[in-house]
Amino acid sequence: YGKRHNVTFTAKMADPENAAMMDPTSHADNGQKGAVDSTKPLKKKLCVVLPGIGNGPGQGIGDWAAGQGYHVFSVGYANSISMAANGDTNPDTPGNTRMNQFDGKGRTPSNANTKRFDSIEGRVIKGLQYLDKVDPGADWGWFLNQDGTMRWSDGCFIGYSYGASHLAVIARYVRIGLGVSVSGPQSEGHPDASWLKMPSATPVERLWAMWGTQDEPATTDNGYKSHYTVTTALLGYVGDVVHTTVGGALGTPPLMGSHRISVD
């Protein structure tokens, strides 16, 4: 305690038993990172950072969150998989695909056959176990239950772009403590997907989305209304979209009561 903790390691280092079988597209050799600034009042929340499409672990927003007293884990996983294969119109496929990437439980139909050791949850658990050994002063093991499972009620996700949509799916199925999407979420061309319409396991009051005006996709994407304003409305995110300009008076949290923020 009383210092900035930064530990970088690969998924293979944290899980040598399964290293040889890991998907080469899952960023298993890229540096995942655990970080927290224990000189700050600790939030006792683990923020898992989900990067943009095809990118390895790490986003600047994760470094910022670590400086606010959050425990932050930048995870690597196979994050260039589409929600559904061409021609697959089954409304269950998009959610099942993203959730297979999350926990490797083999839902069908799916466009991803992610194994448990390549999944987000599998990597987070192994990562926390590793961090608890090499960086015991940061109390990483606090987020694990006695049976080795992850306590997601004390977990949160920060996701950028692809990761922004991915965390929105996860929050429908899993009760998390907090979720912040930046440059997202969107339905990825599947506006009739089941995950958009199902009851949310995470109270929507715990979910936020922020995007730039020049970043938001067009109103229609291949004929589908999938842009951030439409998708966050479908998901029931709190409030109307609040827009602010550079230097504008957005105010302080709770940001005019809205969880849908558009910025220049």
Side-chain angles (χ1 to χ4, degrees):
Y1 278 80
K3 67 175 184 177
R4 175 81 181 215
H5 298 252
N6 286 294
V7 181
T8 301
F9 61 98
T10 68
K12 288 183 176 179
M13 291 169 62
D15 189 11
E17 180 180 354
N18 293 304
M21 297 182 289
M22 288 182 179
D23 179 354
T25 70
S26 70
H27 300 284
D29 290 308
N30 293 123
Q32 302 181 125
K33 185 167 75 170
V36 64
D37 187 345
S38 57
T39 67
K40 305 292 176 61
L42 296 179
K43 306 288 189 182
K44 288 296 185 179
K45 284 261 190 295
L46 176 74
C47 280
V48 178
V49 181
L50 303 180
I53 187 167
N55 290 334
Q59 292 282 158
I61 195 170
D63 291 332
W64 175 85
Q68 310 306 306
Y70 288 96
H71 283 70
V72 174
F73 181 53
S74 295
V75 67
Y77 72 109
N79 59 341
S80 58
I81 299 168
S82 61
M83 277 190 162
N86 289 338
D88 186 345
T89 58
N90 189 315
D92 293 337
T93 300
N96 285 343
T97 295
R98 291 288 178 260
M99 287 306 293
N100 281 344
Q101 291 172 272
F102 171 70
D103 59 21
K105 291 186 176 179
R107 297 167 181 80
T108 57
S110 169
N111 196 38
N113 185 27
T114 305
K115 304 301 182 186
R116 176 69 176 172
F117 50 78
D118 280 325
S119 71
I120 293 169
E121 186 173 60
R123 295 267 175 97
V124 170
I125 291 172
K126 289 293 184 181
L128 290 176
Q129 292 171 342
Y130 179 86
L131 286 165
D132 203 37
K133 292 179 181 178
V134 302
D135 187 29
D139 203 18
W140 294 99
W142 190 84
F143 300 101
L144 295 173
N145 297 314
Q146 288 188 345
D147 62 359
T149 58
M150 173 66 196
R151 192 170 58 257
W152 286 115
S153 59
D154 289 316
C156 64
F157 287 95
I158 303 172
Y160 166 69
S161 191
Y162 185 101
S165 297
H166 204 160
L167 84 80
V169 178
I170 295 167
R172 288 322 248 196
Y173 291 80
V174 179
R175 188 181 178 91
I176 62 174
L178 174 69
V180 180
S181 293
V182 289
S183 295
Q186 61 171 303
S187 64
E188 298 186 43
H190 300 279
D192 297 319
S194 302
W195 74 272
L196 290 163
K197 303 172 183 179
M198 66 186 288
S200 180
T202 301
V204 291
E205 293 81 9
R206 298 182 184 180
L207 301 171
W208 276 261
M210 180 180 289
W211 59 85
T213 54
Q214 296 183 27
D215 168 63
E216 185 169 20
T219 303
T220 59
D221 176 13
N222 295 324
Y224 297 112
K225 292 183 178 180
S226 63
H227 65 322
Y228 310 148
T229 301
V230 170
T231 302
T232 52
L234 285 172
L235 293 171
Y237 281 26
V238 174
D240 295 327
V241 174
V242 172
H243 177 73
T244 185
T245 58
V246 174
L250 181 60
T252 57
L255 306 176
M256 301 181 185
S258 180
H259 292 203
R260 306 161 70 201
I261 310 299
S262 169
V263 299
D264 280 346

